[in-house]
Amino acid sequence: MQKIPYKIYLEESEMPKYWYNVRADMKNKPAPLLNPGTLKPMTAQELSGVFCEELVQQELDNETQQIEIPEEIREYYKMFRPSPLMRAYNLEKKLGTPAKIYYKFEGNNTSGSHKLNSAIAQAYYAKKQGLKGVTTETGAGQWGTALSMACSYFGLDCKVFMVKVSYEQKPFRREVMRTYGASVTPSPSDTTNVGRKMLEEFPGTTGSLGCAISEAVEVAVGTEGYRYVLGSVLNQVLLHQSVIGVETKTALDKFGIKPDIIIGCAGGGSNLGGLIAPFMGEKLRGEADYRIIAVEPASCPSLTRGKYVYDFCDTGMVCPLAKMYTLGNGFIPAPNHAGGLRYHGMSSVLSQLFDDGMMEARSVEQTQVFAAAEQFARTEGILPAPESAHAICAAVDEAMKCKETGEEKTIVFGLTGTGYFDMVAYEKYHNGEMSDYIPSDDDLAQGFATIPDIKL
Amino acid sequence: MQKIPYKIYLEESEMPKYWYNVRADMKNKPAPLLNPGTLKPMTAQELSGVFCEELVQQELDNETQQIEIPEEIREYYKMFRPSPLMRAYNLEKKLGTPAKIYYKFEGNNTSGSHKLNSAIAQAYYAKKQGLKGVTTETGAGQWGTALSMACSYFGLDCKVFMVKVSYEQKPFRREVMRTYGASVTPSPSDTTNVGRKMLEEFPGTTGSLGCAISEAVEVAVGTEGYRYVLGSVLNQVLLHQSVIGVETKTALDKFGIKPDIIIGCAGGGSNLGGLIAPFMGEKLRGEADYRIIAVEPASCPSLTRGKYVYDFCDTGMVCPLAKMYTLGNGFIPAPNHAGGLRYHGMSSVLSQLFDDGMMEARSVEQTQVFAAAEQFARTEGILPAPESAHAICAAVDEAMKCKETGEEKTIVFGLTGTGYFDMVAYEKYHNGEMSDYIPSDDDLAQGFATIPDIKL
């Protein structure tokens, strides 16, 4: 039998020409975004005040199974895609497992993660609409970097609100964004109403993703020729990220490989939703079965401990309501939480699929995550982002179960990015200064208290 | 005609099985290393006190044209190689040049540069010899990172002496090395005689590569089961790095492309020597002609303003003497110099080839380098290392000449690495705080004064 190479690369000609829209195959469609005033589904017109028009179409389209990737975007994809599907031969050997482990490595671009897949799409549609620029928020900085790169390519202005704690702890991320011409403002800032209000109420606050979103939306809505863009959670983002899954499936099919388990880390759901898309499609259509596992931090456990209800997407409550697994829009992970995956909610698509029993979820603690990250780095060479290491953790667990049972399962996980900008967290881990934190039920109750009481 | 893809990837089966040893095709061989005591060429026995035995063989072998890459090294190469040969379509469009620009991108691995090509080879031979560990020095940190990764793979201890200024300015580089299990000591340190002497004489010193080399050699020679390894300059390193050039040539040949100009940045010469190796071979054998251009910083101009004489490879004068273009072992680039390419000398192989008129050299100033880096990032997406941006600078210059003349020349340059750990320098550039510095003849005279007076 042909030996599977370490890296399966597709030819440019094999690259996806369509994004796959999993919503088309869902019997239970994800719940629509609601207008917080009327509690009615947001219309295209209402959404287009905030988002670009074609993106609004994609957001609302629950029917079209394949959506063509415009040629301009495919051309840009060619600069960093296809990403390699790697066979983790060395990790398998190290673990002594009969399992076959593959990972789709999305970190080989300057944004350091998969975020560029959607950033370039969103920038493209903004440019096509004749906009001057876009606003967004960034936490760990991967999304902001990706968007800066995309905007620079299309000559768009890019205003990034960066969660203050990250802005201060990750000055290098900020400088990368500046290299691509973006302006970066720490959030909360005094440049918006939401920000000023937050600073007044909580003078010492280090910010949150929910607050940065509110600021970015406020600026987009209030500035001629600008729209807001978001790097996760939304249907449109999962659609763009399906390029990960479609490439993965094409690569596996080339070698006749059928995975048993597919694993991804989950914050807002962009990577997981993208990686699993075509596999989930087969599962929804009854053509194949896969175990699909979402892995989230124990300190921000939206799927495993959240409520499946309507909640605001942002802290400032300027955004529409989304039905999702949520910890409450006021939830902020404990200060010891390192890295991303800190959003209070979860993509509506994934929330619905999880509620329908189509996938599993588990949470892991961060010292365990960094131990897995370090082991992975030493055996496979690549220094993973802490977010990605959540998936590594679960993949190793599953591979070790195979070692016990002797099963030769095929495991595929998403290695979303690299950890070059996360060395403060790695340093804490090396120095034994990293702690775990599992929120108590009382802690969670405080977050849940910020969920609006919606009667539909 | 077939459109050249953005990225030319070789199949695993097309990866080089041999390193190409350019010395075999040189009529004028590079001058041998000399024992500073006897001024006689260093024997294999003398060298094997410092270096691994098989590496000594490679160091001294001026005859064997192809040296087989051991299977264990080829297996490791497969984890991050072949590296892509990229067509810079977007840069060409931006410049409006008829030139065709290609770059060999070596930054897609966690060391962030081409250094891993030689690190894994040196670690392999150390392991094969049954050593416990190796010592080395690192400046910008790429070599130290690469060696840490390689040692972790083979279970070797790795002691890195890191130039103090880098140790302090690049704590993240240090943490990456620790992630791979290396110990990292700022140099000069009080753990060696050389270091203690240096600290006594120059209490405020921020260190130099030459001094860190001396410390690493002292520890290697004085510790049972250890040897010293070096990431550039040496013949063996250029041999290992020939994998870059062989891959590049294989990829070009696949598409019937013949380059006119080949460009690489030059510090100690590891990248340039590797990239040009097979092309230089053809040139030496009279089979083809290429313009080959070395690009160095104006603030550390060994080829363009140095002397071609015997000098010490290190500041502590514990190493053998090498005949090379040198600024003097006591030369230290001005404090405003950012990034690597700060070694006082140049590989003996490249020095000889340059002296024989087989290649050109030019120097560029650093604000110009960062301008080229930023333009490249914005058009091609990849954030380059400052070192690599020297080559970009020259490639753009040559492409602009083509624009004037209308010539459709094919330019290939080496993009040795990524700039993720160089954001302090980028920040200076963005803030307008970066300056240029061209050493005066008097400045250079101070360095030249440290060259030993050797009468052969």
Side-chain angles (χ1 to χ4, degrees), chain B residues 55-370:
Chain B
L55 292 168
V56 169
Q57 297 309 321
Q58 293 178 358
E59 190 64 28
L60 297 175
D61 186 344
N62 287 343
E63 306 305 329
T64 314
Q65 196 195 46
Q66 294 197 317
I67 295 181
E68 193 175 357
I69 306 175
E71 201 190 327
E72 290 86 343
I73 298 174
R74 281 193 281 138
E75 285 299 304
Y76 189 91
Y77 277 171
K78 287 178 189 167
M79 285 163 61
F80 70 103
R81 306 199 67 80
S83 71
L85 180 68
M86 315 278 294
R87 174 74 183 267
Y89 282 117
N90 290 308
L91 182 62
E92 290 170 18
K93 198 157 74 178
K94 177 85 176 177
L95 300 175
T97 176
K100 295 172 181 61
I101 309 175
Y102 294 84
Y103 55 97
K104 180 71 168 167
F105 181 38
E106 291 286 319
N108 263 352
N109 71 74
T110 288
S111 81
S113 81
H114 65 293
K115 296 285 184 182
L116 195 52
N117 299 327
S118 184
I120 194 66
Q122 298 195 46
Y124 165 76
Y125 291 115
K127 183 71 182 178
K128 196 176 164 200
Q129 196 175 323
L131 297 180
K132 289 185 205 153
V134 292
T135 71
T136 199
E137 77 298 326
T138 198
Q142 294 169 338
W143 168 247
T145 310
L147 190 68
S148 305
M149 291 171 68
C151 285
S152 132
Y153 183 74
F154 283 121
L156 285 166
D157 184 37
C158 179
K159 298 183 194 299
V160 180
F161 287 87
M162 188 170 185
V163 177
K164 193 182 273 176
V165 61
S166 293
Y167 183 89
E168 285 163 0
Q169 284 183 1
K170 297 189 167 185
F172 295 170
R173 272 279 182 211
R174 184 187 71 212
E175 284 309 317
V176 178
M177 291 184 248
R178 286 181 73 196
T179 302
Y180 289 90
S183 73
V184 188
T185 307
S187 165
S189 77
D190 61 4
T191 66
T192 66
N193 294 327
V194 171
R196 282 188 292 270
K197 187 160 164 260
M198 193 63 74
L199 287 171
E200 208 169 290
E201 278 181 46
F202 310 99
T205 180
T206 53
S208 72
L209 216 44
C211 173
I213 294 175
S214 303
E215 290 203 81
V217 170
E218 186 183 319
V219 171
V221 171
T223 314
E224 176 72 28
Y226 279 73
R227 289 295 184 282
Y228 167 72
V229 295
L230 180 66
S232 192
V233 183
L234 296 174
N235 298 342
Q236 58 188 266
V237 177
L238 267 71
L239 175 71
H240 305 149
Q241 294 296 356
S242 71
V243 71
I244 304 173
V246 176
E247 273 187 15
T248 302
K249 191 155 187 320
T250 307
L252 290 171
D253 286 350
K254 257 180 103 162
F255 287 86
I257 304 160
K258 199 183 154 304
D260 298 294
I261 307 173
I262 302 162
I263 299 170
C265 64
S270 68
N271 145 69
L272 181 71
L275 173 66
I276 67 174
F279 302 98
M280 183 60 87
E282 288 190 323
K283 193 167 172 171
L284 287 163
R285 297 191 301 270
E287 297 165 6
D289 197 17
Y290 306 99
R291 275 185 67 202
I292 293 173
I293 306 174
V295 192
E296 58 185 16
S299 53
C300 193
S302 54
L303 280 176
T304 50
R305 297 178 69 194
K307 294 188 178 179
Y308 188 37
V309 293
Y310 266 104
D311 190 12
F312 283 100
C313 294
D314 65 325
T315 313
M317 306 186 190
V318 302
C319 288
L321 294 157
K323 188 173 177 193
M324 54 186 178
Y325 279 86
T326 178
L327 298 164
N329 63 73
F331 178 84
I332 294 179
N336 77 337
H337 175 87
L341 310 181
R342 47 172 66 239
Y343 187 62
H344 65 274
M346 177 61 63
S347 136
S348 291
V349 170
L350 293 181
S351 292
Q352 185 61 50
L353 289 167
F354 181 60
D355 201 56
D356 288 343
M358 298 301 290
M359 54 184 244
E360 308 165 32
R362 67 178 67 162
S363 73
V364 288
E365 296 180 43
Q366 68 176 357
T367 52
Q368 179 189 2
V369 166
F370 277 83

Side-chain angles (χ1 to χ4, degrees), chain A residues 248-270:
Chain A
T248 302
K249 193 158 185 318
T250 307
L252 290 171
D253 286 350
K254 257 179 102 162
F255 287 86
I257 303 160
K258 200 184 155 300
D260 298 295
I261 307 174
I262 302 162
I263 299 171
C265 63
S270 69

Side-chain angles (χ1 to χ4, degrees), chain A residues 6-7 9 12 75 78-79 81 90 110 174-175 178-180 377-378 380-381 383 427 430-431, chain B residues 6-7 9 12 75 78-79 81 90 110 174-175 178-180 377-378 380-381 383 430-431:
Chain A
Y6 279 78
K7 298 193 262 25
Y9 272 113
E12 275 184 14
E75 285 300 303
K78 286 177 189 167
M79 286 164 59
R81 308 200 65 82
N90 291 309
T110 289
R174 184 186 70 212
E175 285 310 318
R178 286 180 74 198
T179 302
Y180 290 89
R378 291 184 183 191
E380 287 291 315
L383 183 80
E427 183 175 13
H430 296 149
N431 293 345
Chain B
Y6 278 77
K7 299 192 260 25
Y9 273 112
E12 274 184 14
E75 285 299 304
K78 287 178 189 167
M79 285 163 61
R81 306 199 67 80
N90 290 308
T110 288
R174 184 187 71 212
E175 284 309 317
R178 286 181 73 196
T179 302
Y180 289 90
R378 291 184 183 191
E380 287 291 315
L383 182 81
H430 296 149
N431 294 344

Side-chain angles (χ1 to χ4, degrees), chain A residues 19-245:
Chain A
W19 290 307
Y20 166 67
N21 181 7
V22 74
R23 285 168 282 158
D25 286 313
M26 289 169 71
K27 271 183 210 136
N28 300 324
K29 303 295 179 191
L33 294 170
L34 296 188
N35 179 317
T38 63
L39 298 187
K40 296 246 164 70
M42 293 286 287
T43 63
Q45 203 189 350
E46 286 169 338
L47 285 168
S48 63
V50 180
F51 299 113
C52 300
E53 280 157 28
E54 288 206 48
L55 293 168
V56 169
Q57 297 309 321
Q58 293 179 358
E59 190 65 27
L60 297 175
D61 187 343
N62 287 343
E63 307 304 328
T64 314
Q65 196 195 48
Q66 293 197 317
I67 295 180
E68 193 174 356
I69 306 174
E71 202 189 326
E72 291 86 345
I73 298 174
R74 281 192 280 137
E75 285 300 303
Y76 189 90
Y77 277 171
K78 286 177 189 167
M79 286 164 59
F80 70 103
R81 308 200 65 82
S83 70
L85 180 69
M86 314 278 294
R87 175 72 184 267
Y89 282 117
N90 291 309
L91 182 62
E92 291 169 17
K93 198 158 74 179
K94 177 83 178 175
L95 300 175
T97 176
K100 295 171 180 61
I101 308 176
Y102 294 85
Y103 54 98
K104 180 71 167 168
F105 180 38
E106 291 286 318
N108 263 352
N109 70 74
T110 289
S111 81
S113 81
H114 66 293
K115 297 284 185 181
L116 195 52
N117 299 327
S118 185
I120 194 65
Q122 297 195 44
Y124 166 75
Y125 291 115
K127 183 71 181 178
K128 196 175 164 201
Q129 195 175 323
L131 298 179
K132 287 184 208 155
V134 293
T135 71
T136 199
E137 79 296 326
T138 198
Q142 293 169 338
W143 168 247
T145 310
L147 190 68
S148 306
M149 293 171 66
C151 284
S152 131
Y153 182 74
F154 283 121
L156 286 166
D157 184 38
C158 179
K159 297 183 194 300
V160 180
F161 287 87
M162 187 170 185
V163 177
K164 192 181 273 175
V165 61
S166 292
Y167 183 90
E168 285 163 0
Q169 284 183 1
K170 296 189 166 184
F172 295 170
R173 273 279 182 209
R174 184 186 70 212
E175 285 310 318
V176 178
M177 291 184 248
R178 286 180 74 198
T179 302
Y180 290 89
S183 74
V184 188
T185 307
S187 166
S189 77
D190 60 5
T191 66
T192 66
N193 293 327
V194 171
R196 283 188 291 268
K197 186 160 165 262
M198 193 64 74
L199 288 171
E200 208 169 291
E201 278 181 44
F202 309 99
T205 180
T206 53
S208 73
L209 217 43
C211 173
I213 293 174
S214 303
E215 290 202 83
V217 171
E218 186 183 318
V219 171
V221 172
T223 314
E224 177 71 28
Y226 279 74
R227 290 293 184 283
Y228 168 71
V229 296
L230 180 66
S232 191
V233 183
L234 295 174
N235 298 342
Q236 58 188 268
V237 177
L238 268 72
L239 175 71
H240 306 148
Q241 295 295 357
S242 69
V243 72
I244 304 172

Side-chain angles (χ1 to χ4, degrees), chain A residues 266-417:
Chain A
S270 69
N271 144 69
L272 180 71
L275 173 66
I276 67 174
F279 302 99
M280 183 60 86
E282 288 190 323
K283 193 167 172 172
L284 286 164
R285 297 190 302 271
E287 296 164 10
D289 197 18
Y290 305 100
R291 274 185 69 202
I292 293 173
I293 306 174
V295 192
E296 57 185 16
S299 53
C300 193
S302 53
L303 280 176
T304 49
R305 296 178 71 194
K307 294 187 178 179
Y308 188 37
V309 293
Y310 266 105
D311 189 11
F312 284 100
C313 294
D314 65 325
T315 314
M317 306 188 190
V318 302
C319 287
L321 295 157
K323 189 174 177 193
M324 54 185 179
Y325 279 86
T326 178
L327 299 163
N329 63 72
F331 178 84
I332 294 178
N336 77 335
H337 175 87
L341 309 181
R342 47 172 66 240
Y343 187 63
H344 64 274
M346 177 61 63
S347 140
S348 291
V349 170
L350 294 181
S351 292
Q352 185 62 50
L353 289 167
F354 181 59
D355 201 55
D356 288 343
M358 298 301 292
M359 54 183 244
E360 309 165 30
R362 67 178 65 165
S363 73
V364 288
E365 295 179 46
Q366 69 177 355
T367 52
Q368 178 188 2
V369 165
F370 277 82
E374 189 164 281
Q375 180 186 49
F376 184 82
R378 291 184 183 191
T379 47
E380 287 291 315
I382 298 168
L383 183 80
E387 298 83 26
S388 323
H390 286 72
I392 297 173
C393 220
V396 168
D397 282 351
E398 293 299 322
M400 293 311 284
K401 283 183 203 161
C402 290
K403 189 175 180 176
E404 277 177 36
T405 62
E407 289 173 289
E408 293 186 24
K409 285 188 180 163
T410 296
I411 300 168
V412 175
F413 71 89
L415 191 74
T416 54

